[in-house]
Amino acid sequence: VALYSGRVAGSKHNTKGGTSDHLCLPETPQYKNYYSSVVYLPELYGVEYDLDNGGTSLLRQVYQTEMPCALCSVSTRSKMIMIPARYECPSDWNREYSGYLMSEAEHGNRFGGKS
């Protein structure tokens, strides 16, 4: 059973800071508090398919298109999920936590060690 679908996002490929993992952002995000005046925050970028030498004819069809994602549920498995960009749970689920995602500053070092 699909809980939601969306697009894959992550840090810009040539920055040291930001998120260490890719996120599956839902098609319909929810904003609890939004401040357009805030600056100097790490940003998320859409992930695209990129291929060396164009790839096969099948892969050329997806070249530089946004990467889709989906979160699915199996009834025989236990579940605990975090859905980024949402503060409401799927129906019949209980919220255990609500908060904000944090990441390393854009010019920080998400890989650890010295910058």
Side-chain angles (χ1 to χ4, degrees), residues 9-77:
S11 297
K12 194 171 183 180
H13 66 90
N14 60 354
T15 60
K16 290 183 176 181
T19 179
S20 60
D21 297 320
H22 288 97
L23 301 170
C24 183
L25 298 179
E27 296 283 356
T28 53
Q30 294 177 321
Y31 300 102
K32 196 160 196 154
N33 296 311
Y34 177 76
Y35 304 102
S36 62
S37 61
V38 175
V39 293
Y40 303 117
L41 294 176
E43 298 174 321
L44 290 174
Y45 295 85
V47 173
E48 296 178 342
Y49 294 99
D50 199 4
L51 311 162
D52 289 335
N53 302 322
T56 66
S57 61
L58 174 64
L59 293 176
R60 278 193 292 274
Q61 295 174 26
V62 298
Y63 179 66
Q64 291 192 330
T65 60
E66 293 180 348
M67 185 177 288
C69 59
L71 179 70
C72 300
S73 172
V74 178
S75 62
T76 58
R77 304 277 181 147

